[in-house]
Amino acid sequence: MSKATQNHSNGDGDVLEVEFRLERSAYPFVRASAVADCTLELAELVPRGDGRYAEFFNVTGADPDRIAALAAEHEGTEVALVETYRDGSLFEFLVSGDCPARRLAELGALPRTVRGAAGRGTIVAEIPSEADPAGIVGTFLEETPEATLVSKRGKRSMGPLLSEATLHRTLEAQLTDRQREVLQTAFEAGYYDWPRGCTGEAVASELGISSATFSEHVHAAERTLIATLFNEQ
């Protein structure tokens, strides 16, 4: 770590923003950017059940079939093409194995930027004030030897995982009535806050449906919202 990095502090901010760099990494978003000479950028990170996370990546400059094949080579990753648009595509990577963004989320940080370009990975994450920033950063660096802490700085606030503006932009036009009800109930209950304000089981109970039905509706709604977001750009 450089002296410049060491001199940064959390200050009076409510959250600590940290940036990591990954070089020559085997993680799919880094490796694919090198092998396919493309750019991968995280659009959304959504927790699933059983410790899995859905990572929606925007990919530019590469054939979708090649990206799917490269990501599928990584153990613990399920790949699905969500949408193709303009000069790129949107993928859902369902990860249950080794993944730096997933690990940071498990430790208590919120990955805001996850980007792979030219074989170099960048992760910018926010750590809430009630967490242990030093512990989270230390554990992550110990477990991820190819990662280097580039910078850290204090910030005043931490936004929700899925913004209300993005939610309401397509509620009426793109979602079914049931999907809209499920997604809005989850949003208002704090399901998309970070740290999460309630579980999917709790939202399902409030709606009077099973957890499986809740997951089916909320996953379909999330995919519609994210695909629509990229179509509008």
Side-chain angles (χ1 to χ4, degrees), residues 20-35 40 70 74 98-101 114-123 140 143-148:
F20 300 97
R21 182 175 298 155
L22 296 91
E23 303 279 1
R24 296 182 296 277
S25 172
Y27 294 122
F29 75 98
V30 181
R31 177 171 175 263
S33 75
V35 175
L40 295 88
L70 287 170
H74 192 76
D98 190 22
C99 171
V114 181
R115 186 174 188 268
R120 171 179 288 181
T122 299
I123 299 178
F140 179 73
E143 296 179 352
T144 316
E146 61 267 62
T148 302

Side-chain angles (χ1 to χ4, degrees), residues 107-172:
L107 289 170
L110 173 57
R112 284 298 190 184
T113 299
V114 181
R115 186 174 188 268
R120 171 179 288 181
T122 299
I123 299 178
V124 179
E126 295 177 351
I127 304 175
S129 58
E130 62 268 22
D132 174 16
I136 291 173
V137 171
T139 299
F140 179 73
L141 291 174
E142 181 179 351
E143 296 179 352
T144 316
E146 61 267 62
T148 302
L149 179 62
V150 178
S151 66
K152 55 183 178 178
R153 68 185 182 91
K155 293 179 63 177
R156 280 295 178 186
S157 62
M158 175 180 261
L161 189 62
L162 183 62
S163 70
E164 189 171 1
T166 299
L167 172 67
H168 286 288
R169 183 164 61 238
T170 55
L171 277 178
E172 296 298 329

Side-chain angles (χ1 to χ4, degrees), residues 80-91:
L81 177 63
V82 177
E83 189 77 14
T84 57
Y85 61 95
R86 295 182 183 177
D87 61 344
S89 52
L90 181 67
F91 278 89

